[in-house]
Amino acid sequence: MSAIRSECNAVEGDLGRALHRLGFRYRRYVQKLPGRQDLVFVRQRVAAFVDGDYWHARLLREQGLAALKRYFKPSQLAYWIPKFLRRAERDAEVNQELRSLGWKVIRLWESDVEKNVDRAAKRVATLLTRYKV
């Protein structure tokens, strides 16, 4: 896993292109900021994340720990549950760090963006126009 480098995936690229068509300009993965943001709108100070449903534990966040435990076999629980709990905790820490630096954070689920890119772009655009500089 450490050899796998994070790059813009198809869903992030689709969202970026949709926002570009709406007139918004962004950067990717700004290293000076905490976390690994997918789209950064510097002028508006907004960081957008497109989180994968599985890897960022959508099941845990929406249905709770019991649902996540039911998802895995008993032999897998000891390994995967702490991993997903830590990832959810780390996401919350990154959100808090960015907010303490004066940034707004928006997190979108990858499957939601994939289903309707334009709706996701409009959601981000609404936030961006609210914080126009």
Side-chain angles (χ1 to χ4, degrees):
M1 287 298 291
S2 65
I4 297 172
R5 296 291 166 229
S6 179
E7 293 179 9
C8 175
N9 67 27
V11 177
E12 295 166 14
D14 291 345
L15 178 62
R17 283 186 290 280
L19 287 162
H20 193 274
R21 282 192 302 273
L22 293 174
F24 296 101
R25 302 301 177 255
Y26 57 88
R27 297 179 192 272
R28 292 191 184 278
Y29 315 124
V30 175
Q31 292 182 1
K32 292 182 181 182
L33 294 175
R36 183 100 170 126
Q37 330 76 24
D38 296 307
L39 304 171
V40 178
F41 302 88
V42 177
R43 192 177 315 144
Q44 296 91 346
R45 296 182 62 84
V46 172
F49 295 85
V50 180
D51 292 337
D53 295 46
Y54 180 78
W55 290 111
H56 288 268
R58 184 175 191 170
L59 186 62
L60 170 67
R61 294 179 190 198
E62 292 182 351
Q63 297 180 25
L65 185 58
L68 187 63
K69 286 181 178 179
R70 284 191 303 272
Y71 181 81
F72 291 105
K73 295 176 187 174
S75 61
Q76 298 172 320
L77 290 175
Y79 178 79
W80 286 107
I81 297 299
K83 198 168 196 65
F84 283 115
L85 289 173
R86 177 61 190 130
R87 188 167 293 123
E89 185 180 301
R90 188 171 51 242
D91 287 346
E93 289 169 3
V94 167
N95 290 353
Q96 184 57 42
E97 284 182 62
L98 285 165
R99 288 185 179 121
S100 70
L101 293 171
W103 287 76
K104 293 85 178 167
V105 177
I106 184 166
R107 287 190 176 267
L108 304 164
W109 291 113
E110 186 175 32
S111 64
D112 293 343
V113 175
E114 197 171 27
K115 281 182 208 167
N116 194 332
V117 175
D118 293 329
R119 182 187 304 160
K122 286 177 186 173
R123 186 172 162 208
V124 175
T126 300
L127 180 68
L128 293 171
T129 54
R130 190 179 310 152
Y131 296 109
K132 227 178 201 175
V133 175

